[in-house]
Amino acid sequence: MRYSIENEQIILTADTLGAELVSVRNRATGEEMMWSGDPAVWGRHAPILWPYPGKLWKGEYELDGERFAGKSHGFARDMEFTHLDTPSDRLEFSLRWNEETLSRFPRKFCMTVIFTLSGNTVRQQVQVENLDTREMKFGLGYHPAFVIPFDEKHKTEDYEIRFDTPQTPMVVESEGGFVTGKSHPLMEKSSAIPLNDRIFDNDSIGMAELTAKTISLTEKDTGRNITVEIGGFPYVLIWSMPGDPELRYVCLEPWHNTQDKVDSPADWNQKPGAACVRPGENWSSRLNITFDR
């Protein structure tokens, strides 16, 4: 089920399925600024990647002496959250452990996703509480997709990915969706990555060693943009579905950790993670997206 909040500038809608942000509309113009989730192209909007982003080597991991199968990007995005009764200026969704989650991830937890608005900024917070008697390690990534072009007057080449300061991003090289351990610079001390319809033919571009505080999808002639705050995130990916003849959306994805490496150990505790939370404690992450349209 979908729920909405709004202020004078934007109308936000999120779904209980995955606690996913599915729509952000400009209140004055009615324009939709998130990807539509067209299943013929890519059927999601902004999934939360938990308890790990990316793929597991051989599609499984080992914890507490047992093996657990896992699809790409974890299971939270496919779970039905509970909508909580909150003030009208916020949306709050909760996912508590159950028998199904235990069959995929042997820890008891409560995951809460909160959406609020501040002017033309969407603030999303993810909180994870460890309800187990054992430590709980996990990863987390965000995957918001923004529609382009912004209007019919523009085309893909009219846009670029822009940083707030010049960067020399190191591309985290991957093979079949798994990190190889190699890297190379994407560019040297530049603030912009030009877009074209073929840029994602080899899948996502994962970047590390960024010092920028923001990354933006920017319309070059007007300056209109969608800006994601990335300070504190060690990895940022940009992506759109490979093979599509035209770029219809771009994902700006801050991740707290990477996917598995090639030949990654099966042991869950040896895999990259965002946090390791002790019993009874909480961990939280925040994502801010500003729509300057």
Side-chain angles (χ1 to χ4, degrees), residues 122 127 216-217 222 248:
V122 170
Q127 300 175 342
S216 303
L217 174 60
T222 67
R248 309 179 199 220

Side-chain angles (χ1 to χ4, degrees), residues 17-133:
L17 181 61
E20 184 175 3
L21 175 63
V22 297
S23 172
V24 178
R25 286 189 292 121
N26 183 308
R27 186 169 179 177
T29 65
E31 291 178 319
E32 177 59 66
M33 297 179 285
M34 301 294 296
W35 166 242
S36 66
D38 181 354
V41 182
W42 183 60
R44 299 182 188 268
H45 311 266
I48 298 168
L49 316 180
W50 190 87
Y52 54 87
K55 296 181 179 180
L56 296 172
W57 182 248
K58 296 185 178 179
E60 62 181 13
Y61 69 93
E62 183 176 308
L63 182 59
D64 303 333
E66 296 185 62
R67 286 191 176 261
F68 298 87
K71 298 187 298 183
S72 294
H73 296 322
F75 58 81
R77 63 180 185 165
D78 297 316
M79 301 294 295
E80 190 70 26
F81 283 62
T82 299
H83 173 249
L84 303 179
D85 186 16
T86 57
S88 60
D89 62 348
R90 62 193 276 144
L91 292 176
E92 191 165 337
F93 304 92
S94 177
L95 175 66
R96 292 180 66 90
W97 69 275
N98 53 49
E99 293 304 317
E100 182 178 357
T101 65
L102 287 175
S103 70
R104 303 183 187 189
F105 182 59
R107 291 293 183 270
K108 297 179 179 179
F109 66 88
C110 179
M111 183 179 192
T112 305
V113 180
I114 302 168
F115 294 98
T116 56
L117 301 175
S118 178
N120 59 349
T121 298
V122 170
R123 303 191 187 281
Q124 180 177 2
Q125 182 176 10
V126 176
Q127 300 175 342
V128 180
E129 181 180 4
N130 184 358
L131 302 178
D132 209 277
T133 58

Side-chain angles (χ1 to χ4, degrees), residues 34 55 59 77 121 135 152 198 204 214 242 255 259 271:
M34 301 294 296
K55 296 181 179 180
R77 63 180 185 165
T121 298
E135 285 189 335
E152 295 181 354
R198 303 271 63 86
S204 63
T214 65
W255 286 16
Q259 64 269 52
K271 295 183 181 296

